[in-house]
Amino acid sequence: MQYRTLGGTGIKVSPYCLGAMMFGAIGNPDHDASVRMIHKALDAGINFVDTADMYSRGESEEIVGKALKGRRDSVVLATKARNPMGLETGDTPADPNRQGASRRWLTRALDDSLRRLGTDHVDLFQIHRPDPDTDIEETLSVLTDLVRAGKVRAIGTSGYPASDIVEAQWVAERRGLQRFRTEQPTYSLLNRGVEREVLPVCERYGMGALIYSPLAGGLLTGRYRKGRDADTHRARFGFRHLTDERRLDTVERLIPVAEEAGLSLTHLALAFVIAHPGVTSAIIGPRTMDQLDDLLAGAKATLTDEILDRVDAIVPPGTDVGRLDMDYAPPALQRPRLRRRHPEDRPAA
């Protein structure tokens, strides 16, 4: 396994990062099997593990903690916080303060994560999507304190638009605060929109990019084909992106390209994303040992310029074919009132 520098941190990480979202109730509830997968990935040379507090409500972090006992010092460990962790029971609503990027919550969330992970620090603590209700200076201030306390080595973002990344960098510089060193965007053969601004901005500010869903939410495994029903674990969740006709049509056009390259579609997809100079690591998220074995088998795949040109002809650089269900949508897209003037103010005359 070759290693790359994570942004300007000096930390060396593998081009494949083991994503732990599928370890726990949402994916594989067998803790022992999940631990064996983590150990196999580490034995294969992967030294980068990414999880989050919300994955199976902390169960993923607990599994990762079990797996890293005795091996913690050789692993670059990343987790995330921001999404809701409060429980709804009956008529009792979830606690609105057990989420977000405030000082109040991030301090508590990190302590909870460290307890579940069985460690006194994480190497990378990421904000899991922007929080429009919290001033970015407030967020950077608490993250700076957590770094100074020795609980965090570096800080990052996940799913941030380019404008939010730039604003955070400016605030950090003006206020003398820790700056975000990484961004975790979605990037794949089907979702190349981040090539337009996000990845160039990361390169400009010396940020590492650890990209998630390089297999486009499962579509690039070859198990989802036009006109066929796929009986898969993901299909049972009813994700719209798995039945998007435009995306399925594009998959059919990419399969011959993979065959020409002598690769499976999965290996083509992974080789494509890590070939971008702005990408540090691609997050792979296996649920079973067979899936992990297949992902690891593609580690030596290399794409020629001719193959990359053929990909460009099918999905032009900087464009998306549909979107992932879990993609971040900013408030301006979620809230009609932010993109529609009051009826009285809409006429031009």
Side-chain angles (χ1 to χ4, degrees), residues 34-261:
S34 297
V35 167
R36 286 194 294 272
M37 279 191 277
I38 295 172
H39 287 170
K40 184 161 192 176
L42 298 182
D43 292 341
I46 292 176
N47 74 336
F48 198 7
V49 178
D50 175 78
T51 184
D53 58 0
M54 70 169 292
Y55 295 162
S56 296
R57 291 200 173 277
E59 189 180 2
S60 170
E61 289 182 324
E62 292 173 356
I63 292 171
V64 170
K66 292 178 183 178
L68 296 189
K69 286 181 179 178
R71 306 183 71 158
R72 173 68 185 91
D73 289 345
S74 62
V75 174
V76 179
L77 179 58
T79 193
K80 301 181 285 292
R82 182 263 187 256
N83 286 305
M85 288 294 286
L87 295 173
E88 287 192 34
T89 55
D91 297 328
T92 304
D95 185 341
N97 287 312
R98 289 178 61 82
Q99 60 183 301
S102 68
R103 174 176 291 273
R104 187 180 193 274
W105 174 239
L106 290 181
T107 303
R108 168 68 183 276
L110 178 61
D111 283 343
D112 289 346
S113 288
L114 293 178
R115 173 179 49 77
R116 289 188 291 262
L117 290 164
T119 185
D120 62 358
H121 75 281
V122 291
D123 299 288
L124 178 62
F125 189 42
Q126 303 156 99
I127 305 303
H128 208 170
R129 305 294 186 268
D131 177 8
D133 295 327
T134 305
D135 191 291
I136 188 61
E137 184 175 344
E138 170 78 2
T139 299
L140 289 171
S141 177
V142 62
L143 292 175
T144 298
D145 289 345
L146 294 174
V147 170
R148 290 172 178 167
K151 295 181 177 182
V152 174
R153 299 294 184 257
I155 59 174
T157 55
S158 176
Y160 273 47
S163 58
D164 286 16
I165 295 172
V166 171
E167 180 187 7
Q169 293 289 331
W170 287 354
V171 170
E173 182 178 356
R174 288 197 302 266
R175 301 302 186 194
L177 300 171
Q178 288 285 323
R179 65 188 186 89
F180 289 127
R181 295 291 188 171
T182 65
E183 159 59 12
Q184 187 178 141
T186 179
Y187 181 42
S188 73
L189 287 165
L190 300 181
N191 294 96
R192 301 184 61 177
V194 293
E195 293 175 340
R196 187 175 296 274
E197 291 186 342
V198 171
L199 290 179
V201 163
C202 287
E203 291 182 272
R204 185 180 310 159
Y205 286 100
M207 298 172 65
L210 44 150
I211 60 96
Y212 77 90
S213 205
L215 301 183
L219 270 179
L220 296 173
T221 61
R223 301 181 68 186
Y224 300 87
R225 303 290 299 272
K226 191 163 184 179
R228 303 182 194 175
D229 291 329
D231 183 19
T232 65
H233 180 78
R234 286 178 181 269
R236 296 174 195 138
F237 287 92
F239 290 126
R240 291 188 299 270
H241 65 249
L242 295 176
T243 56
D244 184 315
E245 289 293 320
R246 287 179 58 216
R247 292 167 74 82
L248 289 169
D249 284 339
T250 305
V251 167
E252 294 298 326
R253 297 175 64 192
L254 289 169
I255 288 174
V257 178
E259 292 173 347
E260 180 180 320

